[in-house]
Amino acid sequence: MEENMEEGQTQKGCSECCIKCLSGIPYASLIATILLYAGVALFCGCGHEALSGTVTILQNYFEMIRTVETLDVFTMIDILKYVIYGVAAAFFVYGILLMVEGFFTTGAIRDLYGDFKITTCGRCVSAWFIMLTYIFMLAWLGVTAFTSLPVFMYFNIWNICQNMTVAEGTNVCFDLRQFGIVTPSDEKKICTNTEMFKKMCASDELDLTFHLFVCALAGAGAAVIAMVHYLMVLAANWAYVKDACRMQKYEDIKSKEEQELHDIHSTRSKERLNAYT
């Protein structure tokens, strides 16, 4: 009988511990972090491979050659690849920091007088994260707009390749000078009536690179949504921490006043007792 009671108390204690742990998880920050990691991974992975496919298309079908002396499009693509590496590492760390901030804020809200004390520093950290996340959201909006440009360019070429029978008899040329990829003195273009264009349409590089850029654009959009989600979470956490801090000050003042009233009452009781004796 006693063993069953002890087992029941142990199970109850484990259940309460699990419920307490689950109640301390910042689910809103967790969802935003998962969305951020998914978007950044999609953008960085697909964007990197799409840039590699662009190099292959430029070299094989537009007959462009890499030059070492000048800053050409191939050098720019290499720089963008290094930028992608930096973006992946930076936002991996930033997602962890935001999750840690969410855990501490949730702990502060759940237990005002627990181990984590609500301080002015905590509110300043939350406000700093709000400002930083807002800047990153604007940056990701710019990245999304920038990623839409190659999607538009590849869509035009891919659309013509998909409708070769309709475009038969017409000669449409794609000049890289129109997109600023090469200097005005370099004439690098490909026309629909050439064998090189038909060869490019029949290859897998064009179709794969186009869809990789579309996936990268979707990843950048997911990162923007994650940043907006983070802004809502951080703003709510900051407001909750601010209200909790006010409540803590109110409780401290109330406790102090009650202690003063108790001291006054005790002093008067002693005075009356002395007067009576």
Side-chain angles (χ1 to χ4, degrees), residues 17-165:
C17 183
C18 291
I19 293 173
K20 186 176 180 180
C21 290
L22 290 175
S23 64
I25 296 176
Y27 291 101
S29 298
L30 182 62
I31 293 172
T33 303
I34 293 173
L35 185 60
L36 176 65
Y37 282 169
V40 172
L42 195 62
F43 171 77
C44 293
C46 295
H48 183 275
E49 294 302 315
L51 290 174
S52 299
T54 301
V55 171
T56 303
I57 291 174
L58 291 176
Q59 289 178 340
N60 294 342
Y61 304 108
F62 286 91
E63 299 178 348
M64 292 188 63
I65 302 174
R66 183 187 293 268
T67 58
V68 182
E69 293 82 7
T70 59
L71 184 65
D72 58 355
V73 64
F74 298 108
T75 306
M76 295 297 296
I77 289 176
D78 291 337
I79 294 174
L80 289 177
K81 286 183 179 180
Y82 285 114
V83 170
I84 285 175
Y85 300 149
V87 167
F91 279 93
F92 176 78
V93 176
Y94 191 65
I96 294 176
L97 292 177
L98 289 177
M99 274 298 298
V100 171
E101 193 272 344
F103 271 109
F104 277 119
T105 306
T106 303
I109 298 304
R110 298 289 182 188
D111 190 3
L112 280 179
Y113 298 99
D115 294 332
F116 181 75
K117 297 295 183 182
I118 300 172
T119 60
T120 305
C121 180
R123 285 181 291 164
C124 290
V125 170
S126 297
W128 172 256
F129 273 123
I130 291 173
M131 183 186 68
L132 203 60
T133 304
Y134 183 77
I135 295 173
F136 284 149
M137 184 198 69
L138 296 179
W140 275 110
L141 282 174
V143 171
T144 304
F146 180 77
T147 310
S148 63
L149 297 178
V151 171
F152 175 74
M153 293 166 55
Y154 274 102
F155 175 75
N156 290 332
I157 301 175
W158 180 80
N159 192 29
I160 291 177
C161 289
Q162 297 297 316
N163 300 279
M164 285 295 294
T165 56

Side-chain angles (χ1 to χ4, degrees), residues 196-240:
M196 191 65 71
F197 184 82
K198 296 177 182 178
K199 198 174 171 183
M200 182 180 65
C201 291
S203 65
D204 295 331
E205 287 90 354
L206 178 64
D207 187 72
L208 180 61
T209 304
F210 168 61
H211 288 92
L212 283 173
F213 269 120
V214 172
C215 292
L217 179 62
V224 172
I225 296 174
M227 290 292 105
V228 174
H229 196 164
Y230 267 130
L231 278 176
M232 294 188 293
V233 172
L234 290 170
N237 288 343
W238 185 81
Y240 291 154

